[in-house]
Every structure is written in C-alpha cells, then in structure tokens.
C-alpha cells in the first residue's frame, strides 16, 4: 500500500481509505469490525466516518457508525490509525439533516458541539482529519475556518478538510486562510469515478496549485461500476432500495448513478478490464488512485468479499495504453452521470 501526504499537513495515509457509511445499517457491528480488521491487515491505516452515518441517515441511527468505529479503534494502538470524520452542514434542499434538530449551519456553536459529540462517540482525544460535510455558503469562510482552527489549537483535531465542496468554495477558503491567518483545508472529499470525471477539470487545478489533496468517494459509482446493475437493479442494493422506495430525493440520486449511459460505460469498461485480466472493480479503484492530485481513494463495503475485490487494486498500475482506452470510452460517452449535486449548492 502506497503512502501519501494529506495536503501540506503532517498526516501521511495509505492511498486507499476505508469508508464506513455502511456500518450500523447494512453491516452490523461484528461484520463492520471484520471489515476494519481486513482493511487494516491489508495495509489501510485511514478510516473515514461522519457524525450523520450510516447512510441513508435517520434520527434513530445518527452517530452509530462513529460508535462502531470507536469500539474497533480501542483494539488498535491509537497512533496506528488515521481517523477522519465530518460535521454535518446544511441539507441544501435535499433533506433535513437528522442531527441537532436540523440546525446544521456551520457556525461556532454547531461545529464545537458536533466535534465534542464525535470525540465522545469515537472514544478518542483527537480526530486526525475533521471535515465539513457539505459547505455552508451563507457563512463567511473565515468564521468557519476560525472555529476549526480553534479545535486544532486545542489539540482536538490535527488537520481540516471539506467535503462536497465547489471549486469556488475551495478557492474562497484558500483566500480566507491566507488573509485571515486561519487554518486551510488540506483535503476535499468529492464524488469522483469513471462515471463522474468532473474533478479532472477545475477541481484538479485547485488541488494541484494550492497543495490540496482530493479524497475521492464512490470510486465504484455507488456500486454501478462493479457491474451488479447491468441486468437490472439487484435485490438489497442501495440504489435498488432508493429506486423502489418513497423518498423522492433518493430516487433522483439513484437515477443519476443508474441510467442507460452509466450502464453502457460500465459494459465497455468491463471489456477493458477483462482484456487485461482484472475485475472492473479493480480497474475503477486503480484508475482513481493513479491521479496525481489524489491522496487516498475511499472504498466502501458491505462484506469482506466486497472489500477484497477492491483491494485487488492496491498494487495495480494501469498502462498508458489502458488509460487511453478508458479515455476513449469517456470521449464517446461524456459525463454519464448527468450531475453530481454540486450545482444545487
């Protein structure tokens, strides 16, 4: 497993990160701990959570994922594991966040309360990477970063990052850090995969020029790039539940990921993967890891078997020829995901 630095911070992590949003819903605690142990034994030392996990979020389960991760964390030397989590930002019309009664503006009171709650649930004295989970563009960035800087000064967090942030937001945050002498975001965690390559344009430039690391989530396109949706939505899959459920937001989200263009892209990528003797899952994770502005690619799992499929990519380096073939698919089917939600901010 390769090691990479998070932005300009002192934190160095494995270039694959274990995402935990399934813990406490799709995975019970025993299975979640087996997944964590398998990841750790494979060389993954970076684990990403959020106060609002598991997904889909509900008031009954808020914080359960952090509790499960925290109990597992007790079985390892604290310094051997890099723990990331997030403070919930506004729902931006998608949903009312089921935490703090939906009062999730990124102001001082909310951020400090969220951090204290996460520390308690994780059972740790500090969080290695503390991230804003969706931005609050109504709050001045210097105020948001100022509070996060206080937490770092107090030793409660080591570095800060953003999630689901726009290019404008990242540059505005960089400006605020420079002008107001507050901490800067070292990372940005956005959706990035072979069916959503938007980060390769403007956000990649922000990351390269400002020394910020991208932490891609959903490198398998929510599972679409594994091929499991090719013959119709499979029983028990997340987007199957979204497509057949009552939530309008979830249905819109699922249709961004599962549509004729993403399925055709997956079919063509599967042919490329088979021609070089790997799974399309390994191809997708390896492709994400191979970007210079990416520090660590976040993978998820609902079983140890799924995790092992993604781990096949840990030593896989795609050749220039294979990358060119992948680019040809993108040229013929550009932006198969119609949007990634950021235009709604």
């Amino acid at each position: 497993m390769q090691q990479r630095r998070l932005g300009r911070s002192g934190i160095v992590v494995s270039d694959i990160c274990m995402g935990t949003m399934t813990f406490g819903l799709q995975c019970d605690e025993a299975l979640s701990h087996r997944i964590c142990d398998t990841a750790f034994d494979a060389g993954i030392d970076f684990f990403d959570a959020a106060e609002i996990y598991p997904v889909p979020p509900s008031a009954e389960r808020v914080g359960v994922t952090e509790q499960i991760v925290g109990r597992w964390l007790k079985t390892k030397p604290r310094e051997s594991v890099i723990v990331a989590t997030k403070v919930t930002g506004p729902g931006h019309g998608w949903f009312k966040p089921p935490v703090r009664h939906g009062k999730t503006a990124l102001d001082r009171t909310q951020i400090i309360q969220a951090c204290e709650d996460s520390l308690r649930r994780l059972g740790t004295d500090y969080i290695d990477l503390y991230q804003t989970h969706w931005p609050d563009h109504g709050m001045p960035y210097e105020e948001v970063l100022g509070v996060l800087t206080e937490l770092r000064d107090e030793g409660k967090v080591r570095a800060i990052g953003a999630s689901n942030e726009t290019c404008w937001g990242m540059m505005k945050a960089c400006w605020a850090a420079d002008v107001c002498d507050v901490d800067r975001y070292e990372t940005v965690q956005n959706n990035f995969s072979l069916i959503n390559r938007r980060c390769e344009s403007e956000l990649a430039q922000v990351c390269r020029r400002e020394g910020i690391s991208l932490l891609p989530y959903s490198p398998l396109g929510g599972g679409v790039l594994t091929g499991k949706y090719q013959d119709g939505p499979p029983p028990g899959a997340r987007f199957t539940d979204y497509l057949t459920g009552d939530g309008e937001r979830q249905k819109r989200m699922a249709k961004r990921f599962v549509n004729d263009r993403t399925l055709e892209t997956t079919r063509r990528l599967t042919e490329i993967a088979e021609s070089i003797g790997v799974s399309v899952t390994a191809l997708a994770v390896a492709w994400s890891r191979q970007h210079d502005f990416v520090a660590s690619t976040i993978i998820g799992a609902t079983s140890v078997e799924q995790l092992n499929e993604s781990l096949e990519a840990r030593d896989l380096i795609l050749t220039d020829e294979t990358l060119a073939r992948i680019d040809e698919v993108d040229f013929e089917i550009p932006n198969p995901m119609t949007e990634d939600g950021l235009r709604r901010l």
Side-chain angles (χ1 to χ4, degrees):
M1 197 77 67
Q2 296 181 24
Q3 296 282 312
R4 296 179 182 171
R5 185 178 296 272
L6 297 183
R8 300 173 183 173
S9 76
I11 303 175
V12 177
V13 300
S14 55
D15 68 348
I16 295 179
C17 171
M18 189 69 241
T20 64
M21 74 176 187
T22 61
F23 295 2
L25 183 58
Q26 292 166 289
C27 303
D28 63 18
E29 182 156 345
L31 175 56
S32 299
H33 285 188
R34 287 199 300 274
I35 289 172
C36 288
D37 284 334
T38 301
F40 189 80
D41 291 344
I44 293 176
D45 60 12
F46 190 22
F47 292 76
D48 179 69
E51 64 166 342
I52 206 170
Y53 288 172
V55 170
S58 68
E60 297 76 24
R61 291 188 294 268
V62 160
V64 169
T65 296
E66 288 184 326
Q67 292 171 348
I68 290 173
V69 172
R71 287 189 282 270
W72 174 80
L73 192 60
K74 294 296 184 184
T75 69
K76 300 290 182 287
R78 177 62 186 89
E79 293 80 7
S80 69
V81 181
I82 305 300
V83 178
T85 194
K86 310 177 193 76
V87 50
T88 306
H92 297 285
W94 282 99
F95 73 122
K96 184 177 181 179
V99 60
R100 293 183 292 284
H101 304 284
K103 309 299 185 183
T104 53
L106 293 178
D107 61 20
R108 188 175 190 278
T109 299
Q110 300 296 327
I111 293 173
I112 290 176
Q113 181 65 59
C115 184
E116 294 290 349
D117 289 344
S118 288
L119 287 167
R120 172 177 47 80
R121 287 189 292 260
L122 289 165
T124 184
D125 296 329
Y126 66 93
I127 296 162
D128 295 282
L129 177 65
Y130 197 46
Q131 304 155 102
T132 54
H133 204 170
W134 292 98
D136 186 349
H137 289 158
M139 284 292 298
Y141 274 85
E142 55 269 29
E143 292 191 27
V144 177
L145 294 174
V147 180
L148 295 171
T149 301
E150 288 181 36
L151 294 174
R152 199 263 304 155
D153 287 342
E154 293 170 2
K156 294 177 180 178
V157 306
R158 294 179 63 196
I160 61 174
S163 180
N164 297 308
E165 180 59 283
T166 63
C167 297
W168 173 85
M170 290 306 295
M171 288 306 303
K172 186 71 172 179
C174 288
W175 171 87
D178 289 343
V179 171
C180 301
D181 192 29
V182 291
D183 283 6
R184 68 198 309 274
Y185 288 140
E186 303 293 351
T187 62
V188 57
Q189 183 181 145
N190 279 22
N191 188 295
F192 182 48
S193 73
L194 281 166
I195 58 172
N196 181 17
R197 297 180 59 165
R198 289 172 175 83
C199 290
E200 289 179 301
S201 53
E202 285 87 353
L203 188 59
Q205 284 293 87
V206 173
C207 291
R208 290 187 182 111
R209 302 295 184 183
E210 297 296 331
I212 295 167
S213 296
L214 178 66
L215 305 176
Y217 70 81
S218 205
L220 300 179
V224 173
L225 285 164
T226 66
K228 68 182 181 181
Y229 290 91
Q230 292 303 103
D231 298 320
R238 176 161 58 113
F239 291 140
T240 300
D241 293 342
Y242 284 8
L243 289 167
T244 58
D246 296 328
E248 190 57 35
R249 168 188 174 269
Q250 284 79 10
K251 285 183 180 178
R252 292 202 307 271
M253 177 183 178
K255 289 177 182 178
R256 297 205 317 261
F257 284 86
V258 186
N259 59 63
D260 290 343
R261 290 162 60 80
T262 60
L263 295 178
E264 176 60 16
T265 295
T266 300
R267 185 189 69 78
R268 298 189 190 191
L269 292 171
T270 301
E271 292 179 351
I272 295 173
E274 290 175 347
S275 74
I276 62 172
V278 302
S279 70
V280 67
T281 296
L283 181 85
V285 175
W287 176 87
S288 175
R289 291 173 56 243
Q290 226 161 302
H291 288 78
D292 64 315
F293 54 90
V294 168
S296 190
T297 294
I298 303 170
I299 60 173
T302 56
S303 68
V304 172
E305 291 74 22
Q306 279 189 355
L307 172 59
N308 285 331
E309 287 181 23
S310 293
L311 288 175
E312 293 174 10
R314 59 183 165 179
D315 298 317
L316 177 59
I317 303 297
L318 303 178
T319 66
D320 290 343
E321 178 185 359
T322 299
L323 292 172
R325 294 173 65 191
I326 291 172
D327 286 344
E328 184 63 26
V329 175
D330 180 65
F331 177 78
E332 295 178 0
I333 312 175
N335 297 324
M337 273 183 65
T338 53
E339 53 116 345
D340 58 9
L342 295 184
R343 70 180 179 85
R344 299 175 182 270
L345 298 185

